């Protein structure tokens, strides 16, 4: 199959905007708990859809009273929290355009986004954010107001709108139509300044309604979820709007380190996460089993889960022996894993990178269906996703309603439809380059099977061409390596070189756990760990295992273990945790030279 289009399941009114999603939810069930907020004693209290709407409208009136006019850009820089979505909708109710900024952004990045977007105001969360914004506000001529969420500024803004009438609010709220700009979301920026993606109200309204119609098992009022992915990334905000549309109760966590402790308290029914989170869940469970002397039992249980999941894809179903093993390990292992995740989780959505077949089968085998999705900032998050009733593990699913998908002659994935951005903000050249008629060129390489299921094989710009002329996609090699507990990040190299190699960083959280479980008594620094023969041998075993899946020309022949962690703070990852390949190659050129010194 080379291309196909999926027709809309839900038609929307072209006069509508994102605020209609919330108004419809309140009209449908004003007393339904739409959110849960954390109390100081650690418990959670519910917020109804009517209560949330009231807070949004009060804040929107405050924005109007402060001078925000329809079409004005208002920036938002914060960790994931309840107020994020409140501000998002309040700006839309005031007729404005929301401009997210990652809370980890540098002053230079903040300056670029604020000035390029013509933001007239910005919401920030804490003193650190204020310091960074103050450093650059003089270079942002249109920026006139800074509001801090955790301060009197925020409460005063709610009070400021007391004199704004409901009629005036309705005029502002209804000003935007589906075709109008809702948000400018800046790309992560692996090279150069980030580009602003113009996403319209249609990108949210039509896209959310149609996606929800495709996954009714998840998009319903009986579901509740903890969201901890950053809302500055389009995936989190897109899912937040779907949750409001479908009535999914949402709790927020500002830090992924809090997730493990909150899952047994909140009892979510579905999760949204990047593959690294699922990798951590598996790796931690395996290492805990090793610590308790039950490593062999866990590995046998993991294989039983994988075998059971694979059996589900067979028309005859899993064999009797596989079913018996699965039933045994469900009591011994799987039930405990589900309890650690809150005991009620049945579904999850994974995006941002491939999860891998082994982990997908493992989680389905223990009773958690992980739907992989594919999309970009330019496509308002998901354009393709698996269905609960129709999955092909190892593939990211079929296009959503209102979306077209095509594989170009060179293998590039092209997309079109209701969710595609209007263009790049003030960058006509980049917009022209990104489109062929109405098809958006994603830059990713993939394949469609006969059922329209998409497989991702890599990024077009990241393809390695070895000195021998072999084309190698790094991602399929990097992803399974990164799943190893000891490995933090991987960069596969070899462009114009005689063989493929890799730069590998260790996961500093897992190093002490792994060493303790493998008889290494001394406390190793990260630098010491990179040189320890046992750790190098373990990394070699991981490389050998992954190499067995590839042809000789694609196998990693040499690797260097870096003595530092690759992070956003170090300048080697984007805020969405994509690796900055050019920067890594530049900063660790000595390691690259060492790999190829004798060839």
């Amino acid at each position: 199959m080379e291309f196909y289009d999926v027709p809309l399941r839900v038609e929307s009114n072209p006069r509508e905007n994102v605020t209609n999603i919330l108004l419809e939810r309140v009209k449908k069930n004003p007393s339904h708990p739409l959110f849960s907020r954390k109390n100081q004693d650690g418990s959670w209290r519910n917020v109804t859809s009517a209560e949330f709407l009231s807070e949004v409208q009060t804040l929107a009136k405050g924005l109007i009273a402060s001078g925000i006019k329809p079409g004005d850009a208002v920036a938002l820089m914060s960790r994931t929290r309840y107020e994020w979505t409140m501000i998002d909708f309040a700006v839309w109710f005031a007729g404005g355009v929301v401009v997210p900024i990652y809370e980890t952004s540098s002053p230079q990045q903040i300056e670029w986004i604020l000035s390029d977007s013509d933001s007239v105001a910005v919401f920030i969360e804490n003193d650190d954010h204020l310091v960074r914004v103050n450093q650059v506000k003089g270079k942002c001529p249109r920026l006139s107001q800074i509001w801090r969420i955790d301060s009197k500024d925020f409460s005063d803004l709610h009070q400021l709108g007391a004199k704004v009438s409901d009629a005036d609010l309705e005029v502002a709220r209804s000003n935007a139509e589906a075709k109008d700009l809702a948000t400018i979301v800046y790309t992560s920026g692996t090279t150069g300044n980030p580009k602003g993606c113009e996403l319209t109200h249609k990108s949210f309204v039509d896209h959310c309604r149609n996606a929800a119609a495709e996954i009714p098992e998840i998009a319903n009022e009986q579901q509740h979820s903890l969201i901890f992915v950053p809302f500055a990334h389009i995936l989190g905000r897109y899912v937040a709007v779907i949750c409001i549309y479908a009535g999914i109760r949402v709790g927020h966590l500002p830090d992924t380190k809090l997730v493990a402790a909150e899952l047994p308290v909140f009892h979510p029914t579905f999760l949204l996460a990047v593959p690294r989170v699922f990798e951590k869940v598996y790796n931690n469970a395996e290492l805990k089993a090793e610590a308790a002397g039950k490593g062999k039992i866990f590995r046998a249980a993991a294989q039983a889960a994988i075998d059971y999941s694979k059996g589900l894809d067979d028309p005859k179903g899993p064999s009797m022996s596989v079913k018996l093993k699965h039933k045994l390990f469900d009591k011994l292992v799987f039930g405990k894993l589900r309890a650690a995740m809150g005991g009620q989780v049945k579904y999850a959505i994974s995006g941002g990178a491939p999860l891998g077949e082994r982990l997908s089968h493992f989680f389905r085998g223990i009773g958690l269906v992980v739907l992989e999705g594919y999309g970009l900032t330019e496509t308002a998050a998901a354009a393709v996703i698996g269905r609960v009733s129709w999955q092909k593990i190892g593939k990211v699913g079929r296009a959503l309603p209102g979306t077209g998908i095509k594989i170009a002659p060179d293998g590039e994935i092209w997309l079109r439809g209701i969710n595609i951005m209007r263009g790049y903000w003030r960058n006509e050249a980049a917009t022209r380059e990104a489109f062929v008629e109405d098809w958006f060129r994603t830059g990713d390489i993939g394949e469609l099977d006969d059922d329209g299921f998409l497989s991702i094989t890599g990024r077009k710009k990241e393809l390695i061409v070895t000195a021998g002329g072999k084309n190698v996609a790094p991602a399929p090699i990097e992803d399974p390596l990164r799943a190893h507990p000891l490995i933090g990040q991987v960069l596969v190299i070899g462009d114009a070189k005689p063989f493929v190699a890799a730069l590998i960083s260790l996961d500093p959280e897992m190093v002490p756990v792994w060493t303790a479980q493998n008889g290494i008594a001394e406390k190793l620094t990260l630098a010491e760990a990179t040189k320890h023969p046992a750790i190098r041998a373990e990394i070699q075993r991981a490389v050998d295992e992954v190499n067995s899946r590839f042809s000789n020309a694609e196998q990693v022949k040499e690797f260097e273990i870096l003595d530092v962690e690759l992070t956003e703070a170090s300048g080697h990852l984007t805020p969405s945790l994509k690796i900055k390949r050019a920067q890594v190659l530049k900063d660790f050129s000595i390691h690259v030279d060492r790999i190829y010194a004798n060839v």
Side-chain angles (χ1 to χ4, degrees):
M1 185 178 291
E2 294 182 359
F3 80 94
Y4 65 93
D5 291 277
V6 181
L8 288 170
R9 292 187 58 166
V10 181
E11 296 280 353
S12 294
N13 185 334
R15 284 283 301 155
E16 292 182 330
N17 61 52
V18 188
T19 63
N20 290 97
I21 293 287
L22 177 55
L23 294 175
E24 285 177 12
R25 167 49 44 191
V26 175
K27 183 178 180 180
K28 184 175 182 180
N29 194 344
S31 61
H32 178 70
L34 201 54
F35 296 95
S36 289
R37 301 192 66 180
K38 194 82 178 290
N39 293 317
Q40 289 186 347
D41 64 0
S43 61
W44 293 84
R45 61 181 174 86
N46 290 339
V47 179
T48 68
S49 56
E51 290 169 337
F52 177 68
L53 173 62
S54 178
E55 289 186 275
V56 166
Q57 290 173 325
T58 301
L59 181 57
K61 288 182 177 181
L63 291 172
I64 294 170
S66 72
I68 300 299
K69 298 178 177 60
D72 281 349
V74 178
L76 175 49
M77 181 178 178
S78 170
R79 297 175 300 169
T80 300
R81 57 188 294 169
Y82 171 78
E83 289 83 1
W84 222 114
T85 303
M86 183 203 303
I87 294 167
D88 223 355
F89 273 84
V91 173
W92 285 327
F93 264 75
V97 175
V98 185
V99 182
I101 301 176
Y102 281 98
E103 61 100 13
T104 53
S105 296
S106 68
Q108 292 77 17
Q109 291 168 328
I110 295 169
E111 177 192 338
W112 167 253
I113 293 173
L114 289 175
S115 59
D116 186 64
S117 65
D118 283 340
S119 290
V120 299
V122 59
F123 284 93
I124 51 116
E125 186 178 20
N126 53 43
D127 287 338
D128 180 43
H129 296 168
L130 182 60
V131 168
R132 279 180 272 160
V133 171
N134 279 335
Q135 286 180 37
V136 303
K137 67 178 182 180
K139 300 177 183 179
C140 306
R142 296 205 62 188
L143 184 67
S144 59
Q145 300 187 82
I146 302 172
W147 295 303
R148 177 171 169 171
I149 296 171
D150 291 323
S151 76
K152 190 171 180 292
D153 291 345
F154 197 61
S155 56
D156 286 350
L157 194 55
H158 277 81
Q159 301 299 321
L160 188 62
K163 295 182 180 180
V164 175
S165 69
D166 291 344
D168 288 339
L169 176 62
E170 179 58 20
V171 169
R173 184 203 70 78
S174 59
N175 180 76
E177 298 183 354
K179 63 180 175 57
D180 293 322
L181 192 61
T183 184
I184 305 172
V185 184
Y186 284 80
T187 59
S188 299
T190 53
T191 57
N193 282 326
K195 297 190 291 287
C197 301
E198 301 176 349
L199 299 179
T200 65
H201 286 274
K202 185 181 186 71
S203 298
F204 288 92
V205 178
D206 287 14
H207 192 26
C208 287
R209 286 173 173 166
N210 281 275
E214 280 290 287
I215 48 173
E217 301 91 343
I218 298 175
N220 61 71
E221 292 184 356
Q222 284 69 52
Q223 304 298 319
H224 39 279
S225 180
L226 275 176
I227 295 184
F228 44 85
V229 298
F231 277 157
H233 190 283
I234 187 59
L235 177 61
R237 285 174 77 209
Y238 167 67
V239 171
V241 176
I242 286 184
C243 288
I244 288 174
Y245 172 73
I248 300 170
R249 178 169 58 87
V250 170
H252 302 90
L253 290 177
D255 191 336
T256 55
K257 294 178 181 178
L258 303 173
V259 175
E262 289 298 335
L263 288 176
V265 179
F266 194 88
H267 305 295
T269 58
F270 98 91
L271 295 173
L272 169 68
V274 296
R276 191 60 178 160
V277 172
F278 297 105
E279 291 167 2
K280 287 276 191 180
V281 170
Y282 180 91
N283 292 339
N284 286 334
E286 183 177 19
L287 288 170
K288 285 181 180 179
E290 288 283 2
K294 298 178 180 178
K296 289 184 179 180
I297 295 175
F298 179 85
R299 284 188 289 276
Q303 190 59 52
I306 292 167
D307 291 342
Y308 182 81
S309 175
K310 289 180 177 179
L312 294 176
D313 293 330
D314 189 314
K316 297 179 181 179
S319 68
M320 183 57 67
S321 62
V322 168
K323 287 181 180 179
L324 290 173
K325 286 183 181 179
H326 184 268
K327 185 175 182 180
L328 171 64
F329 286 122
D330 192 67
K331 293 181 179 179
L332 294 176
V333 179
F334 307 153
K336 294 177 182 177
L337 279 174
R338 292 194 298 268
M341 291 187 285
Q344 297 182 27
V345 177
K346 291 184 178 180
Y347 306 110
I349 295 175
S350 176
L355 179 59
E357 288 189 36
R358 180 176 174 80
L359 279 182
S360 294
H361 278 302
F362 170 78
F363 281 107
R364 185 169 71 167
I366 71 168
L368 175 61
V369 176
V370 181
L371 302 181
E372 287 200 77
Y374 166 73
L376 303 90
T377 304
E378 290 89 342
T379 67
V384 175
I385 196 170
R387 312 304 199 262
V388 173
S389 58
W390 196 14
Q391 275 188 290
K392 290 189 180 183
I393 286 179
K395 301 177 186 288
V396 294
R398 284 176 47 85
L400 285 164
T403 303
I405 185 167
K406 177 179 182 178
I407 304 299
D410 63 355
E412 185 177 17
I413 302 164
W414 291 4
L415 296 168
R416 67 182 175 190
I418 56 176
N419 54 323
I420 306 299
M421 69 171 182
R422 195 169 68 181
Y424 290 114
W425 177 255
R426 291 178 173 169
N427 196 333
E428 292 183 8
T431 301
R432 285 196 300 270
E433 185 180 353
F435 285 90
V436 177
E437 297 177 342
D438 60 343
W439 289 102
F440 170 68
R441 302 169 57 185
T442 67
D444 289 312
I445 303 296
E447 299 173 349
L448 290 174
D449 68 12
D450 292 340
D451 292 319
F453 279 77
L454 177 67
S455 300
I456 310 293
T457 56
R459 287 288 293 172
K460 189 174 179 180
K461 292 181 179 179
E462 293 172 0
L463 279 177
I464 292 170
V465 183
T466 66
K470 177 66 177 178
N471 287 350
V472 179
I477 305 170
E478 293 167 348
D479 294 331
L481 279 174
R482 201 162 41 241
H484 189 282
L486 274 177
I487 295 177
Q489 294 295 333
V490 182
L491 183 73
V492 168
I493 60 176
D495 200 45
K497 301 295 184 182
F499 57 82
V500 172
L503 301 177
I504 296 173
S505 69
L506 301 178
D507 185 333
E509 292 182 6
M510 301 305 290
V511 167
V513 180
W514 188 89
T515 53
Q517 297 306 314
N518 285 271
I520 301 173
E522 63 265 38
K523 302 295 183 183
L524 302 176
T525 65
L526 195 60
E528 291 169 341
T530 62
K531 299 178 178 66
H532 197 284
I535 287 179
R536 182 169 182 85
E538 181 63 20
I539 299 300
Q540 183 66 63
R541 278 192 289 273
V543 170
D544 291 343
E545 195 281 323
V546 172
N547 277 344
S548 67
R549 312 177 194 180
F550 295 93
S551 69
N552 182 64
E554 297 170 298
Q555 292 176 359
V556 174
K557 298 297 193 293
E558 299 285 346
F559 62 85
E560 283 275 322
I561 305 177
L562 309 179
D563 60 3
V564 296
E565 184 183 7
L566 301 183
T567 64
E568 184 186 352
S570 73
H572 300 115
L573 299 182
T574 69
S576 57
L577 303 184
K578 295 183 179 69
I579 198 159
K580 295 183 177 180
R581 294 179 180 272
Q583 191 64 49
V584 173
L585 289 172
K586 177 183 176 182
D587 291 349
F588 299 98
S589 59
I590 293 175
H591 297 76
V592 177
D593 292 342
R594 196 153 54 217
I595 287 173
Y596 296 107
N598 298 318
V599 298

